Amino acid sequence: MSRTPPRRAALRGLAAVGTAVIGFDPFTRSWAATASGRPLHDIPELDGSLHTDEASLNAAADDFGHLVHRRPAAVLRPGSVRDVVTMVRFCAEHRVPVAPRGQGHGTNGQAQAEGGLIVETTPLATVQPVGPRSTSVRVGAGARWSEVAKATLAHGLTPPVFTDYLELSVGGTLSVGGLGGQAHRYGAQVDTVLELEVVTGAGELTHCSPTRHRDLFHAVLAGLGQCAVIVGATVRLVRAPGNVRHYLLPYADLRTFLDDQRLLVEQRRFDYVEGLVSEDASGAFRGYALEAVAYGPPAGDAPDDTALLRGLRHDPSGAEITDLTYYDFLDRLAPGVAALKEAGLWEYAHPWLDVLLPGRAAADLAGRILGELTPADLGPGGVVLLYPLVRERLRTPLLRMPDDPVPYLLAVLRTTPPGDTATVQRLLAANRSAYDLVRAAGGTWYPTGSVPFDEADWRRHFGSAWPRLAAAKRTYDPHSILVPGQGIF
Ligand SMILES: Cc1cc2nc3c(=O)[nH]c(=O)nc-3n(C[C@H](O)[C@H](O)[C@H](O)COP(=O)(O)OP(=O)(O)OC[C@H]3O[C@@H](n4cnc5c(N)ncnc54)[C@H](O)[C@@H]3O)c2cc1C
């Protein structure tokens, strides 16, 4: 079948990149360098730049998972929020897919867009100044949580909840939820957001909050980028501790480990509770370590080991107790990440599984999933996390949680040699089986990892929240250009 030859006259959108000029041809749906000097129309001049070079396109066609590769047509490095508005409007007009990309730490092509435009949010990283009495901070979506923490800690303040790894973008974690060991006290990061500044899929710059464009606010938080690009967020702040005491408590039995974790989060005894599962001498995943942190003054009292550990059933001979500065605690993964990078393991494929288990079935589900895990399938440098949340603090409608007062996050964070596609496919299938098992028991997917999902799965995943998300999609992204990599619409 012959195709209509691309007409040069069809080049309608042009934008300056340095001294060169990039044109967009809606017939071939491609961007290309064109003769400079062409009149700029459709796209006004940008404060930042559009890139179509190989290095930019290849980088945007990859992510931390190294499993999915979809090549965009161009990458926007915005010089301003206005650039995001301009380019999203342009893409809406020409029906070009768009995906914002923070740090590209999704594992399943979530921030990729075949033949589309990637909006790198890294340049939108301003953290507005705060003072000692501030109760919130306004941050650009491209800021990393490490940057937000450093800026607010200078005034003795901190966002209340952090992901384990700090080098993720604010926009990236607010699009998925943002879970960490403090979430049992404060909810997920999305639950600490007071206001958002977004560019909708129609290219409208809008502020939204629980009292202003509430439908949009709730469609964007944990909304996987479907309705708008987050360009800024106002996040709650609390007093930061100077130092913290970190406890690592070994357990030999899964049920005892889970029960003690539950006790701690129900009693709010610690400020942070997580847990790790590792292999024992026989290679079975039956070594449990409860990780808990108590904040010192001025955010908490001086930690009292006797009171904090009372009644816990860990093996006291293996307990490790360490005092750290608050920032060193937040940034505790940094040395391990540096070692993984050094060993080349950061470039391995990451077919990750993240599921939320109903507390009532957590021991059974975790036991079955971990019972099938082998050290080889976890891979070198792989990690298993298992920790409780408190349902009533998780109030964001699109962050789908099991209907249980204390759900548990189970994260099997695998590494696999990137060229080993047979193993990757087998592990993706194992992720799907684990998800099916979890869902049948009332659990959900925490959609950051890699579980093969189709549109029907997404509908089921969002459940009662689906009609409102679908309505918001029609209203705010009427041409359905935003974030196709999630595969939801
Ligand atoms: C090493 C590591 C540790 C992690 N630890 C945790 C953890 O402790 N807790 C936790 O909850 N998660 C954790 N995650 C998962 C992580 O929170 C998500 O993958 C998150 O989306 C990554 O942020 P990012 O900036 O890399 O986003 P990207 O991968 O760039 O984007 C992820 C998705 O969000 C969309 N998006 C990005 N920016 C915006 C924006 N401004 N507006 C709208 N949509 C946007 C993208 O289009 C894409 O669909 C971890 C991931 C890694 C790799």
Side-chain angles (χ1 to χ4, degrees), residues 215 218-219 227 397-398 400 458-476 488-489:
D215 62 330
H218 287 308
C227 295
L398 292 183
R400 305 309 289 165
W458 279 116
R459 238 168 251 224
R460 223 174 296 134
H461 170 80
F462 285 111
S464 60
W466 174 260
R468 252 180 273 173
L469 175 62
K473 180 77 174 172
R474 286 192 295 274
T475 305
Y476 295 107
I488 299 174
F489 289 97

Side-chain angles (χ1 to χ4, degrees), residues 156-386:
L157 298 168
T158 178
V161 188
F162 286 90
T163 48
D164 296 337
Y165 183 48
L166 293 188
E167 309 309 329
L168 306 168
S169 76
V170 168
T173 71
L174 296 185
S175 299
V176 298
L179 296 173
Q182 303 92 343
H184 75 274
R185 278 182 169 250
Y186 294 100
Q189 287 179 321
V190 280
D191 296 304
T192 68
V193 175
L194 306 176
E195 190 185 63
L196 292 171
E197 187 180 11
V198 303
V199 177
T200 67
E204 299 298 328
L205 180 63
T206 310
H207 286 83
C208 57
S209 71
T211 54
R212 195 171 169 194
H213 303 298
R214 186 184 157 84
D215 62 330
L216 181 59
F217 186 68
H218 287 308
V220 173
L221 289 175
L224 304 173
Q226 296 305 300
C227 295
V229 177
I230 302 168
V231 289
T234 304
V235 179
R236 193 179 154 199
L237 292 176
V238 295
R239 268 211 103 48
N243 293 292
V244 307
R245 185 162 293 174
H246 181 272
Y247 300 79
L248 205 56
L249 312 174
Y251 285 76
D253 172 65
L254 175 60
R255 271 181 202 281
T256 313
F257 166 71
L258 295 174
D259 287 349
D260 276 6
Q261 283 185 319
R262 171 191 283 264
L263 175 91
L264 293 186
V265 299
E266 284 177 346
Q267 293 186 346
R268 299 175 67 135
R269 226 191 263 189
F270 285 91
D271 296 284
Y272 164 106
V273 175
E274 288 201 8
L276 297 152
V277 187
S278 52
E279 71 215 64
D280 62 16
S282 73
F285 283 82
R286 283 192 302 238
Y288 311 99
L290 192 158
E291 191 192 18
V293 172
Y295 291 177
D301 299 329
D304 172 351
D305 295 347
T306 309
L308 287 166
L309 301 180
R310 182 167 296 131
L312 297 184
R313 291 163 293 168
H314 60 285
D315 170 7
S317 67
E320 292 174 31
I321 303 178
T322 323
D323 288 332
L324 298 165
T325 69
Y326 177 61
Y327 189 80
D328 283 349
F329 155 62
L330 293 180
D331 201 29
R332 64 201 173 278
L333 293 198
V337 168
L340 290 173
K341 287 184 177 170
E342 178 79 25
L345 295 171
W346 210 245
E347 300 310 316
Y348 268 38
H350 295 103
W352 281 9
L353 172 71
D354 296 84
V355 277
L356 291 154
L357 315 176
R360 59 183 174 276
D364 177 44
L365 293 169
R368 287 171 72 180
I369 293 168
L370 297 177
E372 289 181 10
L373 184 65
T374 63
D377 284 355
L378 184 61
V383 174
V384 178
L385 301 176
L386 179 56

Side-chain angles (χ1 to χ4, degrees), residues 49-135:
S49 49
L50 268 182
H51 298 260
T52 57
D53 60 284
E54 284 296 298
S56 300
L57 301 185
N58 289 342
D62 195 12
D63 57 31
F64 182 76
H66 309 299
L67 301 168
V68 174
H69 301 282
R70 299 191 193 98
R71 205 173 143 88
V75 173
L76 172 67
R77 303 209 169 110
S80 60
V81 166
R82 190 176 52 179
D83 283 357
V84 180
V85 172
T86 300
M87 287 309 299
V88 172
R89 261 186 209 169
F90 176 83
C91 290
E93 185 187 337
H94 297 293
R95 312 294 191 262
V96 175
V98 176
R101 176 184 169 104
Q103 290 296 311
H105 278 49
T107 63
N108 208 25
Q110 291 98 329
Q112 298 176 24
E114 182 81 46
L117 177 72
I118 301 303
V119 177
E120 287 187 356
T121 61
T122 321
L124 306 175
T126 310
V127 181
Q128 297 286 339
V130 293
R133 272 193 273 279
S134 300
T135 54

